[in-house]
Amino acid sequence: MKFVFLLCLAAGVAAAASAPVPLVVAHRGASGYLPEHTQAAKAYAHALGADFIEQDLVLSKDDVPVVLHDVHLDAVSDVATRFPGRQRADGRFYVLDFTLAELRQLAVHERINLRTGAPAYPGRYDSQRSPAAFRISTLEEELQLIQGLNRSIGRVAGIYPEIKAPKWHRDQGRDPSLVVLPILARYGYATKADPCFLQCFELAEVRRLRGELGWKGRLVMLIGGGAKEVDGTDYAALCTPAGIKELSGLVDGIGPAIGRIVTWPSAGGAPVFTDLVRLAREAGLGVHPYTVRADDLPRHCPSLDALHEALFITARVDGVFTDFPDRTSAWLRRAGSRP
Ligand code: G3P
Ligand code: CA
């Protein structure tokens, strides 16, 4: 299949005749070990051998795409203490309200639960005990880092940028896709032969990327675990044969929540699989589910090994987003699915 063949090329591995090598996508970098989306997390992901490294992208006040998961700054930075009074009426601090020069002043830490102030994932990097100087990066800085490592290590890690909240940005009079695409092109990511998957959760924006904005590279439609996205994208409808058929004319692959593929209905019980991977495969689409987290397994899933086995052996997905690229790669090597 065209998609699988390109995956193998992009990963820099030979396409085995019968068993394509599943891709390991470092989710927000090696975020199981270092604060998400920091350059340290990206460099470590590269060192751990990730095939692709993810960038979530939002815009600054001066229209610079920066690598952050949320349109808010509160959960991963010291914005509330550094810029008191700059929150909106809802009490949140928005990336869009800060210039790049201001964003550069923020200290980035591991994700916290805003209600409790406690780390979202206890046991991961602890910035209270180890307050290293992590900073927000621009998209360009991250591409420079990854391409620099590609050269110095001699192995190409691809990129997996996501246009975050395009409808919300456009409601604010801003257009992240319009800013991001020229940067990607300038750094050599513009065609399906380039090691890049562009992704988005909003169907209207995916259509726009392929149509009006003329994105010729690989494109992935993300499929959330909930009912609908803010732009009205109906995820359940996308998972039907008609939905997948529509997507097959638009994108190269899908990135569904793991629960769209497999669930464990009861403790100690067997996993139950949907037909989503089969539908996608028959339509020529690749499947990269999210997110494998060793410390936050799906409900009732007994172990990380069980999760990997369900996704790679039974469902036969083409790759996964993982917070622990080393552990996913190690499992694939043990299974004989990775050199
Ligand atoms: O983009 C796919 C994966 O990253 C999961 O989504 O919410 O972590 O950006 P999210
Ligand atoms: Ca993402």
Side-chain angles (χ1 to χ4, degrees):
M1 293 195 301
K2 181 178 61 170
F3 180 79
V4 170
F5 178 66
L6 285 168
L7 293 187
C8 294
L9 278 182
V13 295
S18 57
V21 177
L23 294 180
V24 174
V25 183
H27 180 248
R28 311 181 197 175
S31 55
Y33 303 105
L34 284 153
E36 67 185 50
H37 284 320
T38 58
Q39 293 213 344
K42 303 308 172 77
Y44 194 39
H46 202 304
L48 292 176
D51 299 311
F52 283 77
I53 300 173
E54 190 198 26
Q55 300 76 36
D56 292 314
L57 300 172
V58 298
L59 289 182
S60 71
K61 186 174 185 175
D62 40 354
D63 239 18
V64 180
V66 295
V67 187
L68 285 167
H69 179 268
D70 306 343
V71 297
H72 310 113
L73 290 157
D74 340 33
V76 294
S77 82
D78 64 347
V79 65
T81 52
R82 195 159 297 266
F83 292 103
R86 292 280 296 274
Q87 65 270 43
R88 292 191 184 184
D90 62 1
R92 306 299 303 272
F93 294 80
Y94 286 76
V95 182
L96 203 49
D97 296 338
F98 293 83
T99 64
L100 179 60
E102 290 172 328
L103 294 173
R104 288 195 191 286
Q105 297 173 41
L106 299 178
V108 174
H109 52 66
E110 75 278 17
R111 177 168 291 274
I112 59 166
N113 178 321
L114 281 179
R115 191 174 46 79
T116 64
Y121 299 100
R124 294 192 180 186
Y125 192 93
D126 182 342
S127 293
Q128 295 264 344
R129 294 165 70 178
S130 308
F134 300 117
R135 302 288 175 200
I136 290 171
S137 297
T138 66
L139 170 61
E140 286 206 62
E141 288 164 347
E142 174 139 343
L143 298 182
Q144 289 164 8
L145 174 74
I146 290 171
Q147 294 192 349
L149 289 167
N150 288 349
R151 283 189 290 273
S152 61
I153 292 174
R155 181 186 71 82
V156 173
I159 64 166
Y160 214 126
E162 178 184 346
I163 307 291
K164 272 291 178 201
K167 178 179 186 308
W168 180 85
H169 277 93
R170 295 185 78 194
D171 288 347
Q172 307 279 317
R174 310 296 285 279
D175 193 340
S177 296
L178 209 52
V179 179
V180 166
L181 294 192
I183 295 174
L184 294 181
R186 201 157 66 243
Y187 282 82
Y189 305 105
T191 75
K192 294 195 183 191
D194 302 321
C196 172
F197 291 92
L198 186 60
Q199 49 167 339
C200 188
F201 272 108
E202 298 180 17
L203 181 58
E205 191 69 5
V206 165
R207 288 194 183 110
R208 183 169 172 257
L209 284 162
R210 229 3 147 215
E212 176 193 339
L213 299 181
W215 171 248
K216 298 284 191 288
R218 283 172 285 175
L219 188 57
V220 167
M221 179 72 220
L222 297 170
I223 301 179
K228 288 199 175 180
E229 188 49 72
V230 292
D231 71 328
T233 302
D234 183 337
Y235 292 133
L238 287 183
C239 293
T240 64
I244 290 294
K245 185 169 179 223
E246 182 193 351
L247 288 177
S248 70
L250 191 61
V251 298
D252 302 278
I254 57 171
I258 287 172
R260 295 262 175 215
I261 293 174
V262 58
T263 53
W264 283 259
S266 61
V272 173
F273 293 84
T274 69
D275 61 358
L276 180 59
V277 178
R278 179 184 60 76
L279 285 175
R281 194 173 295 283
E282 287 172 1
L285 296 174
V287 183
H288 298 164
Y290 68 89
T291 301
V292 170
R293 293 184 169 110
D295 51 359
D296 187 18
L297 294 168
R299 183 172 160 79
H300 296 317
C301 175
S303 67
L304 183 62
D305 281 351
L307 178 57
H308 283 138
E309 182 178 327
L311 292 173
F312 290 122
I313 302 292
T314 309
R316 294 178 51 239
V317 301
D318 302 289
V320 298
F321 289 86
T322 173
D323 286 5
F324 297 87
D326 55 333
R327 297 182 71 174
T328 297
S329 298
W331 188 91
L332 286 166
R333 277 195 296 275
R334 286 199 301 278
S337 302
R338 195 172 173 85

mmCIF file of all heavy atoms in Angstrom, residues 317-333:
data_model
loop_
_atom_site.group_PDB
_atom_site.id
_atom_site.type_symbol
_atom_site.label_atom_id
_atom_site.label_comp_id
_atom_site.label_asym_id
_atom_site.label_seq_id
_atom_site.Cartn_x
_atom_site.Cartn_y
_atom_site.Cartn_z
ATOM 1 N N VAL A 317 -1.940 -1.845 13.853
ATOM 2 C CA VAL A 317 -1.825 -0.427 13.490
ATOM 3 C C VAL A 317 -0.454 -0.168 12.860
ATOM 4 O O VAL A 317 0.469 -0.973 12.979
ATOM 5 C CB VAL A 317 -2.015 0.481 14.727
ATOM 6 C CG1 VAL A 317 -3.379 0.238 15.357
ATOM 7 C CG2 VAL A 317 -0.895 0.295 15.739
ATOM 8 N N ASP A 318 -0.330 0.980 12.197
ATOM 9 C CA ASP A 318 0.902 1.308 11.460
ATOM 10 C C ASP A 318 1.906 2.091 12.288
ATOM 11 O O ASP A 318 3.010 2.381 11.817
ATOM 12 C CB ASP A 318 0.540 2.133 10.228
ATOM 13 C CG ASP A 318 -0.423 1.382 9.336
ATOM 14 O OD1 ASP A 318 -0.004 0.415 8.700
ATOM 15 O OD2 ASP A 318 -1.617 1.749 9.314
ATOM 16 N N GLY A 319 1.497 2.486 13.478
ATOM 17 C CA GLY A 319 2.378 3.258 14.349
ATOM 18 C C GLY A 319 1.570 3.753 15.522
ATOM 19 O O GLY A 319 0.339 3.618 15.536
ATOM 20 N N VAL A 320 2.261 4.289 16.521
ATOM 21 C CA VAL A 320 1.533 4.857 17.669
ATOM 22 C C VAL A 320 2.220 6.131 18.141
ATOM 23 O O VAL A 320 3.430 6.307 17.983
ATOM 24 C CB VAL A 320 1.457 3.885 18.880
ATOM 25 C CG1 VAL A 320 0.706 2.621 18.534
ATOM 26 C CG2 VAL A 320 2.828 3.584 19.458
ATOM 27 N N PHE A 321 1.434 7.002 18.725
ATOM 28 C CA PHE A 321 1.967 8.105 19.513
ATOM 29 C C PHE A 321 2.254 7.539 20.900
ATOM 30 O O PHE A 321 1.370 6.909 21.505
ATOM 31 C CB PHE A 321 0.940 9.232 19.655
ATOM 32 C CG PHE A 321 0.683 10.005 18.395
ATOM 33 C CD1 PHE A 321 -0.259 9.573 17.463
ATOM 34 C CD2 PHE A 321 1.367 11.184 18.141
ATOM 35 C CE1 PHE A 321 -0.502 10.299 16.305
ATOM 36 C CE2 PHE A 321 1.131 11.926 16.990
ATOM 37 C CZ PHE A 321 0.195 11.474 16.073
ATOM 38 N N THR A 322 3.455 7.785 21.397
ATOM 39 C CA THR A 322 3.805 7.239 22.703
ATOM 40 C C THR A 322 4.601 8.251 23.511
ATOM 41 O O THR A 322 5.456 8.956 22.962
ATOM 42 C CB THR A 322 4.604 5.922 22.543
ATOM 43 O OG1 THR A 322 5.075 5.489 23.826
ATOM 44 C CG2 THR A 322 5.799 6.081 21.625
ATOM 45 N N ASP A 323 4.306 8.320 24.809
ATOM 46 C CA ASP A 323 5.097 9.178 25.706
ATOM 47 C C ASP A 323 6.431 8.503 26.039
ATOM 48 O O ASP A 323 7.322 9.151 26.589
ATOM 49 C CB ASP A 323 4.333 9.424 27.019
ATOM 50 C CG ASP A 323 3.173 10.404 26.867
ATOM 51 O OD1 ASP A 323 2.894 10.830 25.734
ATOM 52 O OD2 ASP A 323 2.552 10.744 27.889
ATOM 53 N N PHE A 324 6.527 7.215 25.742
ATOM 54 C CA PHE A 324 7.705 6.431 26.103
ATOM 55 C C PHE A 324 8.249 5.732 24.854
ATOM 56 O O PHE A 324 8.101 4.509 24.697
ATOM 57 C CB PHE A 324 7.334 5.394 27.178
ATOM 58 C CG PHE A 324 6.867 6.009 28.466
ATOM 59 C CD1 PHE A 324 5.521 6.346 28.647
ATOM 60 C CD2 PHE A 324 7.760 6.297 29.491
ATOM 61 C CE1 PHE A 324 5.086 6.938 29.832
ATOM 62 C CE2 PHE A 324 7.331 6.889 30.676
ATOM 63 C CZ PHE A 324 6.002 7.207 30.844
ATOM 64 N N PRO A 325 8.883 6.496 23.946
ATOM 65 C CA PRO A 325 9.323 5.896 22.676
ATOM 66 C C PRO A 325 10.299 4.745 22.867
ATOM 67 O O PRO A 325 10.308 3.803 22.064
ATOM 68 C CB PRO A 325 9.975 7.070 21.933
ATOM 69 C CG PRO A 325 10.133 8.171 22.922
ATOM 70 C CD PRO A 325 9.133 7.935 24.011
ATOM 71 N N ASP A 326 11.095 4.783 23.920
ATOM 72 C CA ASP A 326 12.042 3.693 24.157
ATOM 73 C C ASP A 326 11.308 2.405 24.505
ATOM 74 O O ASP A 326 11.654 1.326 24.020
ATOM 75 C CB ASP A 326 13.024 4.066 25.273
ATOM 76 C CG ASP A 326 12.326 4.461 26.562
ATOM 77 O OD1 ASP A 326 11.164 4.936 26.517
ATOM 78 O OD2 ASP A 326 12.921 4.266 27.648
ATOM 79 N N ARG A 327 10.274 2.498 25.315
ATOM 80 C CA ARG A 327 9.564 1.292 25.741
ATOM 81 C C ARG A 327 8.728 0.708 24.605
ATOM 82 O O ARG A 327 8.600 -0.506 24.469
ATOM 83 C CB ARG A 327 8.720 1.590 26.978
ATOM 84 C CG ARG A 327 9.614 1.996 28.155
ATOM 85 C CD ARG A 327 8.855 2.256 29.416
ATOM 86 N NE ARG A 327 8.318 1.019 29.991
ATOM 87 C CZ ARG A 327 7.692 0.948 31.169
ATOM 88 N NH1 ARG A 327 7.536 2.055 31.881
ATOM 89 N NH2 ARG A 327 7.236 -0.192 31.631
ATOM 90 N N THR A 328 8.165 1.579 23.787
ATOM 91 C CA THR A 328 7.426 1.077 22.617
ATOM 92 C C THR A 328 8.400 0.440 21.616
ATOM 93 O O THR A 328 8.136 -0.653 21.096
ATOM 94 C CB THR A 328 6.631 2.224 21.959
ATOM 95 O OG1 THR A 328 5.655 2.687 22.906
ATOM 96 C CG2 THR A 328 5.929 1.768 20.693
ATOM 97 N N SER A 329 9.538 1.098 21.384
ATOM 98 C CA SER A 329 10.525 0.521 20.458
ATOM 99 C C SER A 329 11.043 -0.811 20.982
ATOM 100 O O SER A 329 11.212 -1.773 20.222
ATOM 101 C CB SER A 329 11.726 1.465 20.293
ATOM 102 O OG SER A 329 11.317 2.676 19.739
ATOM 103 N N ALA A 330 11.307 -0.876 22.286
ATOM 104 C CA ALA A 330 11.830 -2.122 22.868
ATOM 105 C C ALA A 330 10.817 -3.248 22.710
ATOM 106 O O ALA A 330 11.172 -4.386 22.394
ATOM 107 C CB ALA A 330 12.171 -1.904 24.341
ATOM 108 N N TRP A 331 9.528 -2.919 22.914
ATOM 109 C CA TRP A 331 8.507 -3.967 22.752
ATOM 110 C C TRP A 331 8.483 -4.450 21.304
ATOM 111 O O TRP A 331 8.401 -5.656 21.043
ATOM 112 C CB TRP A 331 7.121 -3.431 23.158
ATOM 113 C CG TRP A 331 6.102 -4.529 23.175
ATOM 114 C CD1 TRP A 331 5.745 -5.327 24.213
ATOM 115 C CD2 TRP A 331 5.360 -5.011 22.034
ATOM 116 N NE1 TRP A 331 4.823 -6.265 23.815
ATOM 117 C CE2 TRP A 331 4.572 -6.093 22.484
ATOM 118 C CE3 TRP A 331 5.292 -4.637 20.699
ATOM 119 C CZ2 TRP A 331 3.722 -6.798 21.637
ATOM 120 C CZ3 TRP A 331 4.445 -5.350 19.847
ATOM 121 C CH2 TRP A 331 3.663 -6.408 20.321
ATOM 122 N N LEU A 332 8.556 -3.515 20.360
ATOM 123 C CA LEU A 332 8.532 -3.896 18.940
ATOM 124 C C LEU A 332 9.748 -4.750 18.585
ATOM 125 O O LEU A 332 9.644 -5.707 17.805
ATOM 126 C CB LEU A 332 8.468 -2.642 18.056
ATOM 127 C CG LEU A 332 7.103 -1.942 18.025
ATOM 128 C CD1 LEU A 332 7.214 -0.551 17.414
ATOM 129 C CD2 LEU A 332 6.090 -2.792 17.243
ATOM 130 N N ARG A 333 10.895 -4.409 19.162
ATOM 131 C CA ARG A 333 12.092 -5.234 18.890
ATOM 132 C C ARG A 333 11.900 -6.640 19.445
ATOM 133 O O ARG A 333 12.209 -7.630 18.779
ATOM 134 C CB ARG A 333 13.343 -4.583 19.498
ATOM 135 C CG ARG A 333 13.965 -3.497 18.617
ATOM 136 C CD ARG A 333 15.366 -3.141 19.073
ATOM 137 N NE ARG A 333 15.362 -2.559 20.400
ATOM 138 C CZ ARG A 333 15.145 -1.266 20.654
ATOM 139 N NH1 ARG A 333 14.923 -0.423 19.648
ATOM 140 N NH2 ARG A 333 15.146 -0.816 21.884
#
